Amino acid sequence: ERMGEFLARCEAHDIPCDSFHLSSGYTSIGPGRYVFHWNRDKFPAPARFVQSYLDRGVRLVPNIKPALLRDHPRFEEARLAGLLVQDPDGQPTAVQFWDGTGAYLDFTNPATIAWWKKQVTEQLLHYGISATWNDNNEFEVWSDKAMAHGFGMPRPAREARPLQTLLMMQASHAAQTEFAPEERPYLVSRSGAA
């Protein structure tokens, strides 16, 4: 309702708006932010919400983050699949992220790239979103013990920090460009065509 009020006020005051950066509050569980998780209390019907913006000519650009908090609904899935930057013992390297502890996804691992693209597609693109806001991707991993997959040649994670940022952006872009419009079951343009 509040998001609809924003658009109504833009129209009432003749303020043009053709895109809206959706901050990470749409992913919240309590005070935490959980990438690829729609807060169904705030947004009970994501497809309908996205469509309401598209109907007014406004494209949403949602915030996505490359770290998972320890209590993220998909943290254990990512840990078991080895998708996170790891300590030498194979456990995720703990980092402070926002107001909690979590771990960064390791984009030097092809499995992480595939997982990320799948999440971007299933949690965002399928609803009619066509672009993402890649945020908080500085990869602040400071431990000398943290290791990156290194595409099969493990390296100290600190050496891959700038690369991780670029690979995250590349994976997000790839998901967006590989996603065919006919795969958007909810997307309907103003003219009614997909």
Side-chain angles (χ1 to χ4, degrees):
E1 289 175 16
R2 300 293 298 193
M3 296 298 291
E5 288 173 15
F6 168 77
L7 289 182
R9 287 182 180 172
C10 284
E11 290 171 1
H13 296 287
D14 197 26
I15 299 171
C17 180
D18 60 7
S19 68
F20 184 92
H21 280 69
L22 191 60
S23 67
S24 58
Y26 80 99
T27 70
S28 64
I29 299 174
R33 303 292 190 250
Y34 300 84
V35 65
F36 304 129
H37 170 272
W38 281 90
N39 178 319
R40 298 296 175 137
D41 292 328
K42 293 179 182 178
F43 298 93
R48 201 164 55 229
F49 163 63
V50 173
Q51 189 63 51
S52 74
Y53 265 58
L54 290 172
D55 288 346
R56 290 181 165 167
V58 181
R59 294 182 181 265
L60 292 169
V61 185
N63 176 299
I64 54 177
K65 301 175 183 307
L68 303 181
L69 293 171
R70 282 213 170 273
D71 60 348
H72 189 291
R74 294 184 172 270
F75 186 88
E76 191 63 10
E77 170 191 334
R79 184 189 72 77
L80 291 172
L83 306 181
L84 303 164
V85 172
Q86 299 179 358
D87 287 336
D89 65 2
Q91 292 303 308
T93 300
V95 296
Q96 179 69 32
F97 196 77
W98 287 87
D99 291 330
T101 303
Y104 279 100
L105 289 157
D106 182 358
F107 288 90
T108 67
N109 182 343
T112 303
I113 293 169
W115 182 88
W116 183 263
K117 288 168 55 177
K118 181 178 184 216
Q119 300 312 311
V120 168
T121 300
E122 291 179 357
Q123 301 302 323
L124 301 170
L125 303 182
H126 272 290
Y127 293 121
I129 289 168
S130 57
T132 57
W133 165 15
N134 297 276
D135 193 24
N136 300 115
N137 57 359
E138 294 84 5
F139 284 83
E140 296 192 44
V141 178
W142 302 107
S143 169
D144 290 335
K145 296 178 183 177
M147 297 297 290
H149 181 273
F151 297 100
M153 297 176 59
R155 306 282 309 165
R158 68 180 180 280
E159 293 178 7
R161 286 180 57 225
L163 180 60
Q164 295 280 12
T165 299
L166 294 173
L167 291 170
M168 175 196 174
M169 294 182 340
Q170 184 180 48
S172 298
H173 180 261
Q176 293 161 44
T177 57
E178 293 168 9
F179 188 70
E182 61 271 12
E183 294 179 50
R184 293 184 174 145
Y186 304 109
L187 179 61
V188 179
S189 73
R190 293 180 128 184
S191 66

